[in-house]
Amino acid sequence: MSKDHLIIFDTTLRDGEQSPGASMTREEKLRIAHLLEKLRVDVIEAGFPAASPGDFEAVRAVARAVKDSRVCGLTRARAADIDRAAEALKDAVAPRIHTFIATSSIHMQHKLRMTPDEVVEHAVAAVRHARQYTDDVEFSAEDAGRSEIDFLCRVIEAAIAAGARTINIPDTVGYAIPQQFGETIATLLERVPNSDQAVFSVHCHNDLGLAVANSLSAVLNGARQVECTINALGERAGNASLEEIVMAVRTRQDIFPVETRIDATQIVPCSRLVSNVTGFPVQPNKAIVGINAFAHESGIHQDGVLKHRDTYEIMRAEDVGWSANRIVLGKLSGRNALRTRLQELGVSFDNDLLDEIFVRFKDLADKKQEIFDEDLQALVSETAPEESDRHRLRFLHVCSESGTTPHARVELEIDGEVRAGSSDGGGPVDASFQAVESIVNSGTDLLLYSVNNITSGTDAQGEVTVRLSKAGRIVNGQGSDTDIVIASVKAYLNALNRLGTPAARAHPQHDGV
Ligand code: KIV
Ligand code: ZN
């Protein structure tokens, strides 16, 4: 029996980016978008173009680059937002405009300060306006999870009549429970008279840890699009995890009446790239993409798996992109081998960037015999610093020995000028950060400092994440090196550079319409 197609709508670059500290540059979004296209997601929500000129440019770049997925821009139910999104999407092969307005009493009263009639009017006007630019218009009833069902039916019917071809039901605050959320979808499909003219979609947040369960329950009740993110990135506790949705549907074909077109072997590379770009590490026991997801620690399990892998494995690690042999390159590998492997990883680069990556690659290969995919991803992230990068590390000397106070001397290049500083500290990392601060005096607060090894072994590169905040703005910085003190300083400077980029951007959901 032929199955329905389940549309996978990825919002890592929009809702994912709304996680504090996860904002991405245009180049970073492009790198992720290329890999999402390779993963074969149906729709890439690239951002909220009206947020800032930088967001507009990022959506435009993704719209121009991606050919095999639809590219979507989010808008509030405002003509000006929609015009801006249409402009950013104008070169896309398949553009989608996604417009939304809140429909719960609490949001209408306290956030929008609108009557239900006014909300319906705005929704209809927004959808009509968007339809002047494209046939592919999606309408979301924000906070649908807490909206009154009669009103939801009314606004959805009006949005479809105005031309929306996708109707999205967000559980914006992660309040829904699987059975009840599934029933809501079934009720809407049954009660909205023109429901057959639109695809019903869901967008679940994970505040109660139920985003994936709610999304799957919706699919069982007729939803045919799921909005999700890589590594479950997203506001607060995140969105539904793309990898978990896709693999649940694929693994339990006996239950789900749908199929996706996802190339699951790209899941792990996508997960790594998103983690690498945003500085949000993947927890080791995270389903599908955690480092332990396919590790069989206990003797009984290992024995079972060796005798017959289905005893304890419901999926194969290779199917989601974990490769058994992950050693890719070494000291003797040449430029061509590097180019080929980068292409296989979905990294796009020009010759200048390849030259730079190659120099760093050789440098790393001198310190570390085996270069893994993860090392290459980290190298790419660090090479070609953004033009706006104000702070660069030139030199670091750290002295740390038992019985003495650690001391660091650092030399930075700031806007082309070389400046030096030094400091004692509680440990080598603390001394280095204070030495940097003795020069930059940034006035930031350090919210998080974490170190992960990118691969295993004591010669592995350490990948450091530093989260800084200043005046309510939060950014993550990342750095990697075989020397974790150097990696730490690189991460610190990366965060400072990100803080220096323009901050004024609107949040789509934090004000009225
Ligand atoms: O969570 C939400 O309601 C959203 C909408 C803008 C779709 O992200
Ligand atoms: Zn959301």
Side-chain angles (χ1 to χ4, degrees):
M1 196 187 69
S2 88
K3 299 216 169 189
D4 281 358
H5 177 63
L6 178 65
I7 298 170
I8 298 296
F9 176 116
D10 180 275
T11 184
T12 308
L13 302 181
R14 197 278 296 171
D15 211 317
E17 199 199 16
Q18 287 172 209
S19 322
S23 67
M24 301 172 211
T25 64
R26 190 179 72 133
E27 277 60 37
E28 288 168 340
K29 281 198 173 186
L30 265 176
R31 278 177 67 200
I32 294 176
H34 279 301
L35 216 48
L36 289 174
E37 187 182 20
K38 232 176 146 196
L39 179 66
R40 306 198 71 225
V41 304
D42 299 276
V43 187
I44 297 174
E45 186 162 56
F48 170 43
S52 72
D55 288 71
F56 174 88
E57 287 305 333
V59 176
R60 180 151 73 173
V62 173
R64 287 179 173 164
V66 168
K67 305 286 176 234
D68 188 43
S69 307
R70 297 190 158 268
V71 180
C72 175
L74 181 71
T75 80
R76 292 164 293 196
R78 292 181 185 178
D81 272 25
I82 294 167
D83 295 340
R84 197 82 178 127
E87 178 66 22
L89 295 168
K90 98 172 177 279
D91 297 327
V93 172
R96 171 177 293 190
I97 295 178
H98 177 190
T99 188
F100 77 96
I101 192 163
T103 53
S104 62
S105 303
I106 187 164
H107 276 222
M108 291 192 289
Q109 242 175 30
H110 300 290
K111 183 175 94 160
L112 299 176
R113 301 211 167 89
M114 277 187 197
T115 63
D117 285 349
E118 286 170 327
V119 166
V120 176
E121 265 170 45
H122 274 79
V124 167
V127 171
R128 285 212 182 109
H129 193 68
R131 275 298 298 255
Q132 294 176 347
Y133 293 109
T134 171
D135 291 347
D136 190 354
V137 173
E138 170 168 337
F139 171 74
S140 281
E142 191 195 8
D143 205 17
R146 291 189 299 172
S147 299
E148 214 240 300
I149 193 83
D150 289 340
F151 182 61
L152 209 47
C153 288
R154 181 178 158 208
V155 80
I156 289 171
E157 182 183 352
I160 296 174
R165 288 296 160 260
T166 302
I167 294 295
N168 184 37
I169 309 300
D171 180 24
T172 303
V173 292
Y175 180 68
I177 301 294
Q179 188 184 351
Q180 163 256 321
F181 193 61
E183 282 165 8
T184 301
I185 301 301
T187 305
L188 292 173
L189 283 165
E190 195 184 297
R191 283 190 41 195
V192 173
N194 50 4
S195 65
D196 60 329
Q197 291 170 37
V199 171
F200 275 62
S201 162
V202 289
H203 172 114
C204 297
H205 280 270
N206 206 29
D207 300 67
L208 292 174
L210 293 171
V212 168
N214 286 331
S215 307
L216 293 175
S217 171
V219 171
L220 290 174
N221 283 279
R224 289 295 176 263
Q225 174 175 288
V226 172
E227 301 196 356
C228 43
T229 56
I230 302 287
N231 298 342
L233 200 66
E235 290 253 46
R236 307 180 308 279
N239 286 68
S241 139
L242 180 147
E243 53 278 8
E244 292 175 23
I245 303 272
V246 165
M247 291 315 289
V249 164
R250 183 171 150 159
T251 307
R252 298 307 307 268
Q253 277 289 295
D254 55 328
I255 301 224
F256 289 100
V258 293
E259 281 170 341
T260 73
R261 60 166 211 153
I262 294 294
D263 174 359
T265 61
Q266 297 302 319
I267 285 179
V268 168
C270 272
S271 161
R272 281 207 205 109
L273 179 59
V274 168
S275 167
N276 192 268
V277 162
T278 59
F280 280 62
V282 176
Q283 78 194 50
N285 58 335
K286 163 84 177 64
I288 320 291
V289 293
I291 193 83
N292 288 350
F294 292 88
H296 294 276
E297 185 72 32
S298 97
I300 297 172
H301 286 208
Q302 280 178 3
D303 185 50
V305 171
L306 289 177
K307 284 184 180 138
H308 192 300
R309 63 190 304 168
D310 289 355
T311 44
Y312 285 99
E313 267 188 17
I314 58 165
M315 298 166 276
R316 293 189 322 170
E318 309 85 278
D319 292 349
V320 296
W322 289 106
S323 49
N325 175 11
R326 294 181 304 138
I327 302 169
V328 285
L329 299 170
K331 203 178 160 87
L332 300 177
S333 308
R335 232 176 100 93
N336 266 341
L338 177 68
R339 180 205 305 274
T340 308
R341 192 59 199 155
L342 289 175
Q343 277 162 347
E344 282 163 5
L345 289 173
V347 175
S348 47
F349 48 84
D350 56 22
N351 274 338
D352 287 350
L353 183 57
L354 182 64
D355 287 345
E356 258 192 79
I357 299 174
F358 190 59
V359 171
R360 287 178 181 238
F361 163 73
K362 283 288 176 188
D363 193 35
L364 181 61
D366 274 342
K367 297 183 197 149
K368 188 173 185 290
Q369 282 186 352
E370 299 160 332
I371 308 284
F372 296 84
D373 287 346
E374 295 89 330
D375 293 314
L376 290 183
Q377 296 277 21
L379 271 187
V380 175
S381 294
E382 286 211 343
T383 313
E386 305 281 323
E387 270 164 32
S388 52
D389 280 0
R390 294 189 56 214
H391 308 87
R392 294 171 196 214
L393 177 64
R394 278 176 59 103
F395 167 83
L396 175 68
H397 171 86
V398 187
C399 185
S400 165
E401 68 182 79
S402 47
T404 64
T405 305
H407 183 82
R409 266 189 304 123
V410 67
E411 228 175 73
L412 303 180
E413 190 181 313
I414 304 179
D415 296 332
E417 188 194 332
V418 178
R419 294 173 60 190
S422 62
S423 175
D424 288 347
V429 173
D430 184 48
S432 305
F433 285 6
Q434 292 199 46
V436 170
E437 277 301 326
S438 73
I439 306 171
V440 299
N441 203 4
S442 68
T444 54
D445 289 323
L446 178 67
L447 302 185
L448 174 135
Y449 169 77
S450 82
V451 189
N452 280 301
N453 51 344
I454 295 186
T455 55
S456 53
T458 47
D459 71 342
Q461 290 198 86
E463 184 172 52
V464 176
T465 301
V466 163
R467 186 172 300 160
L468 296 179
S469 85
K470 185 173 180 180
R473 183 146 178 246
I474 299 175
V475 294
N476 278 345
Q478 279 209 305
S480 49
D481 201 283
T482 47
D483 179 322
I484 58 165
V485 184
I486 295 178
S488 303
V489 173
K490 284 181 181 174
Y492 197 85
L493 295 179
N494 184 235
L496 287 178
N497 286 331
R498 284 170 179 259
L499 266 180
T501 57
R505 65 200 300 237
H507 186 294
Q509 291 163 266
H510 285 180
D511 61 358
V513 98

